[in-house]
């Protein structure tokens, strides 16, 4: 069984479009995250939700909006896509809320290409 | 703020050689957690190990071993008798107690040549 899943795996779209990436975890974890990995492989946190509540909101353009309908799901919606949004987006989850103690388990990633 | 430095960007080794990946971290917190992740060419991120700041015991898991030294703020990772399947990018990461924001290093690209 897949622990953290993301759809779609690949997303190719044009500038100006709006797109969503979905994430689901079946680990029973309380906390979920979105990370962005750029072309140089650098990983940076974007958002974190604990029990559907936003707890981390890094300096991310407000065109990016996360939504957590329940603690097993965290979706990422991106408005007015720009070329610079091209990256791999990873969803992750961990057991604890804000402790920092537990390892995070990552989804397979969504490669977003904006043309 | 947490910072992780992985100075070696790409390391090439011949199969069966050992390879050590250096990780140096900076934090003002007294309680913190260190992690290593592996990202193979297929792209997923695989958790390898977590170490708490108050536990300086080294760890060995098969061909993998980790050396944690608080005195030098380092958490180094060694792959013994490397295999082609070890070819991947390896990330060191750090989080502080009370803050689940993971700070990643830039990664070490390991290439194992058969």
């Amino acid at each position: 069984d897949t622990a953290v899943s993301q759809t779609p795996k690949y997303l190719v779209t044009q500038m100006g479009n709006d797109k969503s990436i979905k994430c689901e975890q079946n680990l029973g974890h309380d906390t979920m995250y979105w990370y962005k990995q750029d072309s140089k492989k650098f990983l940076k946190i974007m958002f974190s939700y604990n029990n559907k509540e936003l707890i981390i909101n890094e300096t991310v353009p407000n065109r990016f909006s996360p939504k957590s309908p329940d603690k097993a799901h965290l979706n990422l919606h991106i408005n007015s896509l720009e070329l610079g949004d091209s990256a791999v987006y990873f969803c992750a989850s961990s057991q604890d809320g804000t402790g920092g103690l537990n390892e995070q388990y990552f989804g397979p990633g969504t490669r977003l290409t904006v043309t | 703020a947490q910072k992780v430095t992985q100075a070696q960007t790409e390391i090439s080794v011949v199969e069966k050689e050992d390879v050590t990946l250096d990780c140096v971290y900076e934090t003002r917190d007294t309680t913190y957690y260190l992690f290593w992740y592996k990202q193979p060419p297929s792209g997923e991120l695989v958790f390898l190990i977590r170490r708490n700041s108050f536990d300086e015991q080294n760890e060995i898991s098969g061909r993998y071993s980790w050396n944690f030294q608080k005195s030098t703020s380092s958490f180094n990772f060694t792959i013994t008798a490397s295999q082609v399947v070890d070819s991947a990018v390896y990330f060191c990461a750090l989080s502080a107690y009370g803050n689940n924001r993971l700070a990643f290093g830039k990664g070490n690209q390991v290439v194992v040549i058969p």
Side-chain angles (χ1 to χ4, degrees), chain B residues 60-66 80:
Chain B
I60 298 174
S61 175
R63 296 183 298 104
Y64 293 173
S65 62
W66 291 269
T80 303

Side-chain angles (χ1 to χ4, degrees), chain A residues 55-73:
Chain A
I55 54 172
I56 293 176
N57 186 353
E58 289 293 282
T59 311
V60 174
N62 57 15
R63 297 181 295 103
F64 289 78
S65 54
K67 283 191 172 54
S68 182
D70 56 61
K71 74 173 195 176
H73 295 84

Side-chain angles (χ1 to χ4, degrees), chain A residues 1 4 7 13-14 18 23-24 26 28 30 34 36 39 50 54 62 65 70 72 74-75 87 98 100 104-105 109:
Chain A
D1 278 345
V4 182
T7 52
T13 188
Q14 291 184 326
D18 302 339
C23 178
E24 176 181 359
N26 63 5
D30 290 333
W34 278 109
K36 179 180 180 180
S39 58
N50 176 249
L54 181 67
N62 57 15
S65 54
D70 56 61
L74 180 61
N75 303 324
T98 58
Q104 296 177 21
Y105 291 92

Side-chain angles (χ1 to χ4, degrees), chain A residues 7 10 18-19 23 33-34 44 50 52 55 70-71 77 79 83 85 95 98 100 111 113:
Chain A
T7 52
Y10 300 96
D18 302 339
K19 289 293 177 187
C23 178
Y33 312 78
W34 278 109
K44 192 167 180 354
N50 176 249
K52 302 193 296 175
I55 54 172
D70 56 61
K71 74 173 195 176
H77 188 76
N79 289 329
L83 292 176
D85 298 331
Q95 191 169 16
T98 58
R111 182 174 293 278
T113 304

Side-chain angles (χ1 to χ4, degrees), chain A residues 33-37 41-46 90 92 103-106, chain B residues 2-6 23-25 33 35-39 45-47 89-95 100-108:
Chain A
Y33 312 78
W34 278 109
Y35 286 83
K36 179 180 180 180
Q37 186 174 45
K41 297 278 189 181
F42 185 60
L43 275 155
K44 192 167 180 354
I45 192 166
M46 300 172 69
F90 284 98
E103 57 273 17
Q104 296 177 21
Y105 291 92
F106 285 77
Chain B
Q2 333 299 329
K3 184 179 175 184
V4 175
T5 302
Q6 294 178 257
C23 172
V24 175
Y25 61 91
Y33 311 95
F35 306 83
W36 276 95
Y37 284 84
K38 174 181 179 180
Q39 187 173 39
L45 278 157
V46 179
F47 165 73
V89 180
Y90 292 88
F91 292 96
C92 183
L94 166 70
S95 66
N100 57 0
R101 187 183 267 101
L102 257 186
F104 281 88
K106 291 185 177 180
N108 300 122

